[in-house]
Amino acid sequence: MSIIQFICENKTIQAFINVMGETKDMEGLIKRAILAGILVGIGVAVNISVENRYIGAMLFSFALLTIIKCSLNLYTGKIGFYQTQKPADLVIMLIFNLAGVLLPTLGVALCRESAYEAIVTASVAKFGNSLAVLFVYGILCGVLMFVAVYAKDTVITVFCIMIFILSGFEHCIADFIYLVLNFSPENLIKFAAIILGNSVGSIAVHFLVSEKGGLQ
C-alpha cells in the first residue's frame, strides 16, 4: 500500500478531513500538491546552483509557470482564493507541498556538498532575522504570489518570482529545506510566521482587487 493510499483510506485522517470539509478527489489533490512541491524544489535547486543570481531568479520562475499551466496545487497560489477552497484541501496542499519540495532539494543537498553548504549558510542568515521581519517578508512574497497567479500573464509571473527572490522575501514552500537542514524550535516558529505571512499577503491582495471589497 502506498502512502497516498494509506492516507486516503485511514479512518482517523478521513475523520479529520470530514470535519474540515469533504474532499472528493483526495488522491488527485495529493499528487498535484506533491508535484507542485517538486517543481518548487527544482527551482530552489537551480537557484542555488547558478552563480548569477539574476539568472537563478529567472530560472526559478519555471516552477510557477508550470504549476499554473498544469493546474497543480500550490498552497501559496491557492490560499488567496480561500473562499473557493475547502480548508482541508489547503491543509493537505501545504503538507504535501512541503513533502514534495524536499525530494529535489534534499536530494541535491545530499549529493552535492557545495549545495548543502550553500543551503545551510543561507539558512543561518535567513533565520537570523526576527520573527517580525520574516512575517513581513512572508506578506510581501504572498502579495507577489497572488499577483503572479491572478494576472495570468507569463511576463508578470516571471517578474513576480524574480522580485521576491532578489528582494529576499520569504516563500514557505521554497524555504522548507532551509528549516530542515537548520532545525530548531525557534526556527520552526519563525517558519510558521512565514506561512502566516504568505497567507495574509495573498488574501489581502485578493480583497483589494476583488469587486465590492469582497472575495470571489
Side-chain angles (χ1 to χ4, degrees):
M1 177 183 293
S2 69
I3 294 176
I4 295 175
Q5 288 176 320
F6 171 78
I7 292 169
C8 292
E9 297 175 9
N10 185 276
K11 292 182 178 179
T12 302
I13 295 175
Q14 288 303 313
F16 168 76
I17 291 170
N18 289 336
V19 170
M20 297 290 286
E22 184 180 357
T23 298
K24 293 181 179 179
D25 183 17
M26 175 65 66
E27 184 172 347
L29 172 64
I30 292 173
K31 287 180 177 179
R32 290 190 295 272
I34 291 173
L35 181 53
I38 290 172
L39 290 170
V40 172
I42 291 172
V44 172
V46 170
N47 187 47
I48 64 173
S49 298
V50 298
E51 293 184 4
N52 188 305
R53 61 195 297 258
Y54 300 99
I55 292 176
M58 182 183 68
L59 292 175
F60 193 109
S61 62
F62 131 86
L64 190 57
L65 289 171
T66 306
I67 288 167
I68 294 171
K69 180 68 175 178
C70 298
S71 299
L72 301 178
N73 293 323
L74 183 67
Y75 175 82
T76 51
K78 299 286 188 181
I79 183 60
F81 305 90
Y82 79 94
Q83 284 196 343
T84 61
Q85 303 288 324
K86 296 181 178 69
D89 289 2
L90 291 170
V91 172
I92 291 165
M93 254 180 245
L94 178 58
I95 292 171
F96 285 95
N97 285 164
L98 296 177
V101 77
L102 282 183
L103 296 176
T105 52
L106 191 57
V108 169
L110 294 176
C111 293
R112 194 182 303 161
E113 185 177 353
S114 60
Y116 181 92
E117 292 176 353
I119 291 171
V120 172
T121 300
S123 178
V124 171
K126 185 182 299 289
F127 289 111
N129 289 309
S130 69
L131 189 75
V133 167
L134 291 174
F135 177 64
V136 171
Y137 286 174
I139 290 175
L140 295 174
C141 181
V143 168
L144 290 168
M145 290 304 96
F146 179 84
V147 172
V149 174
Y150 183 82
K152 298 181 176 66
D153 182 277
T154 298
V155 175
I156 292 176
T157 299
V158 171
F159 271 94
C160 284
I161 297 297
M162 292 186 70
I163 290 168
F164 107 71
I165 292 175
L166 295 174
S167 299
F169 300 154
E170 305 297 349
H171 186 282
C172 62
I173 310 303
D175 282 350
F176 191 49
I177 184 62
Y178 299 102
L179 174 67
V180 170
L181 294 186
N182 184 26
F183 182 83
S184 72
E186 181 182 2
N187 288 350
L188 179 60
I189 293 171
K190 290 181 176 180
F191 181 74
I194 294 172
I195 296 175
L196 181 60
N198 289 166
S199 304
V200 169
S202 187
I203 292 170
V205 177
H206 194 172
F207 180 83
L208 292 172
V209 301
S210 59
E211 295 180 3
K212 298 179 181 180
L215 290 170
Q216 300 174 340

